[in-house]
Amino acid sequence: MKKKSIVLLLTVCMTLGMVACASKEAPVSFASEAESSESKILYSNQGPKEYFEPAWEQGGGQTYNKLLFDTIIGLDEEQNPTTESGAAESFEMSEDGLSLTITLRDGMKWHDGEDVTVDDVVCTLEMGAKAESLGAGVNNVIRSALYAIDGVDAYIDGSADSISGLTTDGNKITIRFAEVYPNALYALGVCPVLPEHLLGDADLSKFHTESYWQFPIGSGPFKLDSVTMGEYAYFVPFEDYWDGIADFSVYCTSSEADSDPNLVTNAAAGKVDYAYTKSYADVQALRNVEGINIYEVPVLYTRLLQFNIMNKADGSVNWLQDERVRKAFHYAIDKKAINEQIFEGAVQPADGVDTPDGNPWKAEGLEDYSYDPEKAKSLLAEAGYDTSRTLVLAYYYTDQQTIDMMAVIQHMLAEVGIKVEPKLFEGNTDETLHKQPTSKDENGVSNVEWDIMYRGFAPSTVHEYYTVIAGRNAFPINDEIQTLVDELMSTADIDEQKTIYAELETLWSDLAWEVPLYYQPIWVICSDKVDQNVDTWGNVQYFWDWDIQNWTLE
């Protein structure tokens, strides 16, 4: 491909993007009673739409969950376990990784005045295990930790009234694991403590419909004052919080966790003091808005192309099973040009693995798959690839950058002889993109209508880059990969884990199972009202010690 054609195409795409940014919706209304009664209000988004999402589903993805709840163990800004936040005053993991003892803080209260006790922690863990077995959504890392506890199977199948691996003594709880789960501390750092006295008798088969989630009571730094579903939620300081009492309230308009269509308009109108976004279009639109500050937060977040390499429903062999064809995709796509032209250098071009550059777990010396269209053509010719075939390139994001990128990728692949047709999938993407087999002989992914899918992946921990892939229908994972994944998850020794992880990375890169395109940060949007009062921004998608109750609003 000639450089000039890339620039011309990207220039057209960027122009379309700026037009789209200008057509944001009008700002939503705000509760006049809140504005008139409080002199200090922090305006945010991510209020509930139909109900407050149970906090264990996303590990803290919604701002309101971090306002309302404390987690069992705290996490610092780098997602390491800490006692600076969370309900645990102390914790101790045994050397073999099979026993964890937690001591709760004295004097913690629920927003209704009841005491927080170890019984609440036991109830939370038992509810999480049972709810997951009944189909309720539980964060993957939390779920794996719960299923590793000794006696959980008997509790789930009803042959035991409690989980035998959970024992208490005063304000201490000991968790005994049947097998090592290396992310146990992290899992408890994103697992909120829930009140037994309000949820102990909940119907876990339809947990989110419990009336509690219309007006939840937590033990976090703010308590819910009023809410109108789909419009706003208003939070006031919790006067009995153990780690400082805020001198301001928080007003959250209702929106999705990271796709608020009103973010730009409301921020420009002075109605956003704290929010975050994954959309670079939002960053572009707010870059020069007076009183708005934008901070880049490095996180585990990768955008990539996933191959559907299963045989087709008619039994025909899939071209994408050929390693040479998959590698041709790598060399055909100019990731640096995408970064520079679409994202103005704001993202990090990827190589052959999902782990972002700079992460201490990333293996060294991997193939970087630099742009090389001639090598891509050679690999396709060697594989005997049918250049007349058209592949479906599925995507489900609707932001302008994605639309631009699909056009650019389509053009780049066409230059080496790979025809793709971008196709937007709407509605329930889990069903349309990942149909599950109805029988053991049916290939689930072979029945979906896509060959390559553009998607984002934001794991809680680096381990998830591989643990959630092993066994996924789209990947007929070989025994060597599965063995390494099993080894990774069977040791509590961090050095040993990193060695195994490096072996996984090397093998994954060599096999070219996916085409990572770029590593994306998250951008925190804050007003001058809170700027300079926060030392660091952690991964805002999860619980962490953000210390919001001690912020000082200007």
Side-chain angles (χ1 to χ4, degrees), residues 331-394:
Y331 292 117
I333 298 173
D334 191 343
K335 305 176 187 73
K336 290 184 178 179
I338 289 174
N339 174 41
E340 293 167 1
Q341 298 296 326
I342 290 184
F343 296 101
E344 300 177 345
V347 300
Q348 188 180 65
D351 49 31
V353 293
D354 293 346
T355 313
D357 290 345
N359 188 286
W361 285 72
K362 183 159 187 166
E364 298 180 353
L366 300 175
E367 169 64 52
D368 63 4
Y369 289 105
S370 297
Y371 179 55
D372 191 341
E374 294 307 314
K375 190 167 185 176
K377 292 177 184 178
S378 175
L379 286 167
L380 292 172
E382 184 181 329
Y385 182 76
D386 181 3
T387 57
S388 68
R389 181 188 179 196
T390 299
L391 305 176
V392 174
L393 171 57

Side-chain angles (χ1 to χ4, degrees), residues 137-155:
V138 177
N139 174 276
N140 181 60
V141 175
I142 298 175
R143 177 177 64 248
S144 298
L146 294 174
Y147 282 7
I149 299 175
D150 192 29
V152 72
D153 291 339
Y155 177 69

Side-chain angles (χ1 to χ4, degrees), residues 391-395 403 406-407 409-410 420-425:
L391 305 176
V392 174
L393 171 57
Y395 67 100
I403 296 169
M406 294 304 97
I409 289 175
Q410 180 183 33
V420 299
E421 177 187 356
K423 181 178 181 180
L424 173 65
F425 280 77

